[in-house]
Amino acid sequence: MIGLLFIITTIGVGTFLFLNTERFGKQPSGERLLKIEQSPHYKNGSFQNLSNTPMLTEGVGYGKVLYEFLFSSKPKEPSINIPSIKTDLKAIKPNQNVLIWMGHSSYFMQLDGKKILVDPVFSGNASPLSFTTKAYNGTDIYTTDDIPEIDYLFLTHDHWDHMDYKTLKKLRPKIKNVITGLGNGAHLEYWGFSPEVILEGDWYDHFTFKNGFEIHITPARHFSGRGFTRAKTLWASFVIKAPTSTIYIGGDSGYDTHFKDIGAKFGAFDLVILENGQYDEKWKYIHMLPGEQLQAATDLNAKAILPVHSGKFTLGNHDWDEPLTNITEEKNENNIRILTPMIGENVNLKDSLQQFKPWWKPLKN
């Protein structure tokens, strides 16, 4: 009996110490928490979605999800290296408007001379344990050394596959401004970022910069949390209004009315970047199901869509290539242009005729 108690105590203490390591960040406190408590989206000690958003679909229990994850779910992963083309980010000319997808939800953009980075994850995995949720072979072609000085770093929320502690610590000296939702600055300051570079906001707050750049923080339908505590920091999407284009950064989000509201408020989008992967009917409110991406793009009045949140990690129960197959083969009634670059491929944002190979198809076997 004493031995069992010792084991239980040791596990408990070890878990507590692990959850308090630097990688988990810090919860908002002090003046930051006081500001959060004034938000109309913060109620009963946590942020709330605009619509009722259960973590799991009605009738689904956590026991079923855990059993399927451990025993019955066998999503296929690529058996060979994912193909890529490594664009030299530091050699891009100032007058080029480009986008380079880096796998999952990480991507670099240069718009009207400004360098932008979104949710960079370059550490090789997307969890607090380095031996779990590992990147597919061939997908980790970029490191922090490849990244130039960044004008605007966007962090959509604090989940491990979007806010990577190791990557952000190394990138810190290169970042001029961080744009993120309320509360996330607590993590960043704990990791050494200066408060002066962190711009936090609530949904529909905005920041205006020189040279005609305007950035709006907009809603998403999701949740946040790096440990067992949820919804203490705000998850968000973003609208970038640059001199020559308007772009939507969707972050993680289930389908809801906010897409139509954002489309109505900000007009036609030249490009929308929407999650397209890690979905399941069992959590249909927090990630879009197949078919909902094109509907969201339609709601947003989008000319083109870049589907992300796939191609690098397995976080859902579907085969790794299913998201890209679905979105490129489903009915596209509004002829929205679908961008499907390889990791690292240079997407010319001024070229509406640029073509992309279905690079995932040769890897199906």
Side-chain angles (χ1 to χ4, degrees), residues 52 70 94 97 127 277:
N52 180 44
L70 293 175
N97 278 15
S127 89

Side-chain angles (χ1 to χ4, degrees), residues 154-157 179-181 201-205 215-221 234-240 247-253 258-259 262 266 273-274 300:
F154 289 87
L155 297 173
T156 61
H157 60 299
I179 317 292
T180 191
D202 204 347
W203 292 334
Y204 292 114
D205 285 348
I215 294 169
H216 298 258
I217 300 177
T218 45
R221 191 183 193 188
L234 186 64
W235 50 99
S237 60
F238 304 95
V239 173
I240 302 175
I247 293 178
Y248 178 70
I249 296 171
D252 279 6
S253 180
H258 66 283
F259 291 118
I262 293 167
F266 296 100
I273 305 164
L274 299 177
L300 289 161

Side-chain angles (χ1 to χ4, degrees), residues 54-68 280-285 317:
M55 290 293 101
L56 296 178
T57 303
E58 295 85 353
V60 177
Y62 284 99
K64 180 179 179 181
V65 172
L66 182 61
Y67 179 86
E68 183 177 274
D280 195 297
E281 284 282 356
K282 292 184 287 298
W283 50 80
K284 67 178 184 179
Y285 295 114
N317 296 325

Side-chain angles (χ1 to χ4, degrees), residues 222-267:
H222 199 54
F223 67 108
S224 65
R226 295 181 68 78
F228 294 125
T229 304
R230 290 178 175 167
K232 300 300 182 183
T233 61
L234 186 64
W235 50 99
S237 60
F238 304 95
V239 173
I240 302 175
K241 296 189 82 66
T244 62
S245 58
T246 301
I247 293 178
Y248 178 70
I249 296 171
D252 279 6
S253 180
Y255 182 76
D256 204 7
T257 56
H258 66 283
F259 291 118
K260 190 173 284 293
D261 293 340
I262 293 167
K265 185 176 179 66
F266 296 100

Side-chain angles (χ1 to χ4, degrees), residues 36 38-43 46-50 182 202-204 219 234-235:
I36 286 172
Q38 296 171 13
S39 168
H41 309 114
Y42 189 84
K43 300 173 184 177
S46 62
F47 282 104
Q48 310 289 322
N49 283 293
L50 297 176
L182 289 173
D202 204 347
W203 292 334
Y204 292 114
L234 186 64
W235 50 99

Side-chain angles (χ1 to χ4, degrees), residues 266-282:
F266 296 100
F269 285 91
D270 297 288
L271 174 67
V272 298
I273 305 164
L274 299 177
E275 64 143 75
N276 177 53
Q278 322 316 323
Y279 48 74
D280 195 297
E281 284 282 356
K282 292 184 287 298

